[in-house]
Amino acid sequence: MFDKRFERRCVMAMYSMSIARVSGRGDVSRRTFLQGVAAGVTGLGLGLQDRLALAADQLRSQGKSMIVLWMQGGPSQFETFDPKQHSQCKSIETAIPGVAISEHFPKTAQLMKHWCLVRSVTNKEGNHQRASYQVHTGYLPTGGVKHPSIGALVSKEIGPASSDLPSFVSILGPSQGAGFLPINYAPFQIADPERMPDNTQLPVDENRYARRLKLLSKLERGSFERIAPGDVADHQKIVAQAADMVRSKRLKAFDISNESPKTRAAYGETPFGQGCLLARRLVEEGVTFVEVQLGNWDTHFDNSDRVAGLAGQCDPGMSALVQDLVDRRMLDKTLVVWMGEFGRTPKVNARSGRDHFPKAFSMMMAGAGVPGGQVIGRTDDSGTSVEDRPVQVTDLLATFCDRLGIDPKKENVGPLNRPLKIVDGGTPIV
Amino acid sequence: MARLACGKVSGIGLVLAASFFPLAGQAENLPNGFREGIRKKLENLPPEERAQAMARVRKTAEANIARQPTAVLPQNVETIPIRATAGQTRLPWGGKPASPHPLTPDHVSKAYAQQAGSLAPAITEEQFIRRVYLDAIGHLPAPADVEEFVKSRSSNKRAELVDRLLSLPQFGEHWGKYWADVFRYRATNQNANRISVYQEEQWLADQINSNRNWGEITSAILTAKGLDQEAPAGFFVAYHEGEAVELAGEAARVFLGTQIACAQCHDHPYDPWKRDQFHEMAAFFGRTDFRIRKDLMDQKGARFVLEVGPSLRPQQQHRKPDLKDPSQPGEVMQPVFLSGQPLPLQTSDEQRRTALATFITSPNNPTFAKAYVNRMWYELVGYGFVEPMDDLSPQRPVRQPKLFDELSASFGQSNYDIKAFFRAVVLSSAYDRATTQRGESESSEEVLARRPSRLSAPEILANLEWVLGAVDAGARDLASRKASPRRKFEQVFGYDPSLLSEDVEGSIPQALLLMNNPLLEQRISAQAPGTLLQKLLKTQHDNAGIIDMLYLRVLGRMPTRQEKATCEASLRSVDRAEGLEDILWALLNSTEFVHQF
């Protein structure tokens, strides 16, 4: 255990030096690299370049990836994973003695040994947009800087250097974009996991398609490029990516009809369930970051009924996903995260709903070496405040980075050449 | 007992303040019986408690007034009498801002020239007609219109063109879609896209086409009540499911360019907004409700019947959640406008929302005109006086502040005339400046030039249909099972119009659609009957002429010599029809096709 960790740190250190070579644009770490060179760091045996290349490849070949199950709208912690007296449902025991969760999650209860449940997330943002932004990026929206989301950051750090599939896929929701990072780290959105992505069949034969692309890139050198060189460059990048993707053999990863009816049924015959299945297929094919959204948790009225309905979609999907990853020996390398932008009020409002409540709420994570079967933190009896181990959003993001072998303190260059850490502050919690 | 008494008195707080402050000196205009009640309550208090209560009220009132932040506030607020009674939509505000210039192109040009520093070069007539067509009606001009406009020697031709465009129904339809997106993209209700029962785009289009002014449109949106079909302006409340906090945040953002939403949970980190102020603003919607009328759905057999209006619990009040102990009901908040104008707690939903609309659209509230002017200047001229366009925070630098003030005052003076503003801006010298891309090395002067921006989803779809024929009708491949072709297209190409143009990026699904969509491919075909290329091949014999026509159709301009040469060269070694198809495909997939510039 110690050795592995040590080895990872070594790779990390080398990796951070290698960044200058690997990913070109926008890394302050280049400075570290140059300082290293200036200080006369030389290798024994292997040349520096060789060692750097080796380190980068090692890191990338670890094949780690992350799946976020995004509960848009802010799920009630009281009817999911932090049941209380005033919960609008019963609680059930789980496979871990002494840990009870909502009756709406019977399958998850059986798999609790893989999950690490955090009941003490605490935050201040109670507005959907702002909180979503913050949880996805680790920064508060400021208007001036568009921060990259964790999906884009992870794709950039550990995604394959070049790939014909997008490294960041968002299923059933928009997720958050690449911010100031290059456009190729923006999420590829899938609106319907049960269909191949739209428009992925070549409209003409391959030779002619190639001819069209060539003509297009020539014409893009025309008068508009003088007006908008940056836009033309970005557009061309996307066109190239789209063209690579439709001609890729790996495109079939998007086709869940290749899965057996039994597997498909296990995930639940819902868009979210099938989205979880697609996430597993994509990760298996080397996609680095997948977000699957389940929306409508904003239960300002009829909290009880609506949460029951949503949990009925959520529980089979997330459980089949974890079980499948275990069966395929992929859970060790795949970090699975369940969370929303905030929790909901302990008090039930006049419309039998619960309102926004960022002060104390729950999230779950599994895989990528996160020790399962444990509960971190505790809220008081009413669920009003955190009694033990408050966990901030930045702590969570630092944890994700740590589990994926990313240095959260690494800096990217934002607008006006301002260095911005991947995660500003925060300490890993597992 | 003492606690109870204080609680009661704080409820009537600022009404009593009338006796201390000219600001609230209009208590006699409150609904009958109201003042009597207060008097009685006061009389019933023991003398020493009465004095305490009065002192408390006075303190609250003072605090409310002292809280006024600067810069984004109405200037003459102290002199504004508060008269919010049922049914009264316009208040006699008195005094107007010092005589602003009328809203004409000449005045805008003059003010712009004084503030602009060195001007970017003017654009050609060809560029002007593409730009103004897209801005006015959301699609490209016909090749014949381009030709005629460029050739015309009339000195008045731009004004004639703009007046013609303003009279078309597409003007309102285009901007109706724009405003619907402004509201929709920040809707709380994730199903907002499906709340088509309100037909909000059509309603907005009708208002704009009949040149209803921005103040009236705003008031209608803020005060709408009733069933969806009867009150189409209710979409705003429905988008946010009647939630007071969300409605307050959005109303402030869209109509006042003021970002207060984050003060919901904590004082604003940079701006002067306090958490109390946010919840006092929210209290204007504290008695507003949104209901799905299941009973009427059965009765009418409609898919959806929605109702917005007063809460069914008439005593409902907006409460500021107690962050320390959320199990407590929270403090009852009195409606107080951001500039300090209070409203009594006993006011009804209608009174509250009517008063809010009045405060927001008051000629004494320059922020209302500024929010509109800043947004429209961004959309039409390509940069904001303040950016982002919906955040007129006092902390943000203001570009060309004098021009901004003058334009806003003129817009207010015009009684928020939407068409007059559009006309004055697009016919001014500010509008016909050449585009440059903002770069890091640019000087501050160049930053103020127009930047290329992505076309909106409806614009791209309209242009596709313009070039290829209607793809909307029966377009199976563009359509998903659930959404109409147009909605589906909007899901792929849509974006929040309040974003800065540099934050709006293309995406792989967009590229895939334009590159590979089978239906588009059918329409690109030179063989299929009735397609653009089939017609062109019938009438035009030389390739050069067809290439000119393709450029005019798809990009609204003639090709440069080099572009033409590239196209002609590409035709040399391939089948002519196929080669032309490839050219059309390339133009539809060019960066230029999806940009305004």
Side-chain angles (χ1 to χ4, degrees), chain B residues 41-264:
Chain B
K41 275 177 193 161
L42 264 182
E43 278 166 7
N44 289 341
L45 290 176
E48 65 277 17
E49 272 188 41
R50 194 185 305 158
Q52 254 183 6
M54 301 274 272
R56 189 179 284 268
V57 164
R58 181 181 180 130
K59 215 174 138 198
T60 315
E62 275 173 338
N64 272 337
I65 291 159
R67 258 208 306 267
Q68 288 182 23
T70 50
V72 286
L73 292 174
Q75 271 146 19
N76 305 321
V77 109
E78 302 86 320
T79 60
I80 296 174
I82 301 302
R83 298 189 356 166
T85 50
Q88 198 171 354
T89 52
R90 280 267 146 211
L91 296 182
W93 291 119
K96 286 193 172 162
S99 58
H101 293 299
L103 205 46
T104 64
D106 282 351
H107 284 299
V108 175
S109 298
K110 225 174 274 167
Y112 176 73
Q114 280 167 7
Q115 286 264 296
S118 61
L119 297 183
I123 51 172
T124 63
E125 297 295 284
E126 201 180 44
Q127 287 169 322
F128 178 84
I129 186 173
R130 181 188 192 264
R131 186 182 283 183
V132 80
Y133 256 74
L134 284 168
D135 280 340
I137 59 173
H139 68 76
L140 294 166
D145 290 339
V146 178
E147 224 170 305
E148 190 193 332
F149 182 75
V150 171
K151 278 190 191 144
S152 163
R153 305 217 159 186
S154 161
S155 60
N156 207 26
K157 64 180 180 177
R158 288 193 179 185
E160 285 162 10
L161 173 66
V162 169
D163 287 335
R164 186 168 66 78
L165 293 175
L166 280 171
S167 70
L168 295 175
Q170 288 98 312
F171 177 78
E173 287 161 16
H174 173 56
W175 287 99
K177 284 174 189 156
Y178 172 85
W179 282 106
D181 275 351
V182 169
F183 293 109
R184 188 153 43 203
Y185 271 90
R186 303 283 174 100
T188 313
N189 186 336
Q190 291 300 302
N191 293 326
N193 259 318
R194 278 177 241 153
I195 307 190
S196 53
V197 284
Y198 278 98
Q199 293 167 343
E200 63 276 14
E201 284 175 16
Q202 191 55 51
W203 180 81
L204 285 160
D206 292 345
Q207 311 310 305
I208 295 167
N209 277 334
S210 60
N211 212 20
R212 215 171 160 199
N213 73 52
W214 182 237
E216 287 175 16
I217 295 175
T218 300
S219 294
I221 290 170
L222 289 172
T223 59
K225 60 172 185 176
L227 300 177
D228 49 54
Q229 295 298 329
E230 296 148 20
F235 69 88
F236 177 61
V237 174
Y239 278 178
H240 297 281
E241 298 180 327
E243 279 300 309
V245 289
E246 324 244 349
L247 287 166
E250 272 299 274
R253 182 184 75 88
V254 176
F255 300 120
L256 299 171
T258 302
Q259 302 268 359
I260 57 166
C262 72
Q264 183 180 338

Side-chain angles (χ1 to χ4, degrees), chain B residues 530-549:
Chain B
T531 62
L532 171 68
L533 271 178
Q534 198 234 10
K535 285 185 214 157
L536 284 176
L537 277 167
K538 253 194 237 165
T539 50
Q540 297 264 354
H541 293 288
D542 69 314
N543 289 340
I546 296 185
I547 292 166
D548 285 350
M549 281 311 283

